[in-house]
Amino acid sequence: MLFLVDDDAKLRRLLAKFLRDNGLDAREFADGREVVEAVAADEPAAIILDIMMPGESGLQILRRIRLESAVPVIMLTAKGEDEDRISGLELGADDYLPKPFNPRELLARINAVLRRVAPREETMTSASETVEAGGFVLNRRRRTVSAGGAEQELSSTEFKLMEALMTHPGMVLSRDELLNFARGKDFGSFDRSIDVHISKVRAKTGALPGGRRCIKTVWGSGYMFEVEK
């Protein structure tokens, strides 16, 4: 399922039909605020998000999505608006396409993004269902972390960060490395949203029975999953 977000009803309907005709189911949104709630309830395979939206812009919506999810996002930008394109990439967009565009190019970009994501999904499927370290158990199928018989649900990004840290116990991972684990591509060190996600994971692990600060900040270097000695 794809989420298609654009306030232009005619364009949205045409793109949705084109995508469906090419085997991709698309759910339409005219309001960016609605898509943030929809992502939290049912994360799509990818999001096509227009920048020029009434109310909150596509860039503001992208910023809110990235606080909760690493879902691939392709931004639709006005032709020649380099600043919007750069801002979108800095906020975590996976690709962009300037309007007007050929729908076939959009389809090609969607398929390219989905191919980049697929190897991680296949790896997770073939891997062990659980990861155990430091008294915590990470369940890959349920996307939860547990300790002492209780468990906490994790968002998609929280889960991927916890998976990266727990599968490399005692190893310092930089912000860039963690972003690469979480999103499947390299991002620059300007992206500080990683700190927000780490804070949320710490709160969830700390709320578990016997929970503790298992994620250590290594100043100037990154984060490390600390195993009790």
Side-chain angles (χ1 to χ4, degrees), residues 135-139 144-152 208:
F136 293 92
V137 178
L138 187 72
N139 189 301
T144 61
V145 61
S146 60
E151 67 178 10
Q152 289 274 357
L208 292 166

Side-chain angles (χ1 to χ4, degrees), residues 62 83-93 183 187 190-191:
L62 174 60
E83 190 59 38
D84 283 345
R85 173 177 60 83
I86 294 169
S87 296
L89 293 173
E90 288 179 344
L91 287 172
R183 297 179 184 168
F187 282 73
F190 51 73
D191 194 325

Side-chain angles (χ1 to χ4, degrees), residues 4 8-22 26 28 101 103 106:
L4 177 57
D8 185 331
K10 182 178 180 180
L11 175 62
R12 194 176 64 246
R13 286 195 297 268
L14 288 173
L15 285 179
K17 182 179 184 304
F18 175 81
L19 293 173
R20 292 183 187 115
D21 288 346
N22 283 273
E28 300 176 47
F101 56 83
L106 174 61

Side-chain angles (χ1 to χ4, degrees), residues 83-116:
E83 190 59 38
D84 283 345
R85 173 177 60 83
I86 294 169
S87 296
L89 293 173
E90 288 179 344
L91 287 172
D94 294 81
D95 203 349
Y96 75 95
L97 192 60
K99 291 182 176 180
F101 56 83
N102 187 321
R104 290 178 59 193
E105 183 176 0
L106 174 61
L107 179 64
R109 289 174 183 268
I110 291 170
N111 287 330
V113 166
L114 295 180
R115 282 195 298 271
R116 288 201 297 266

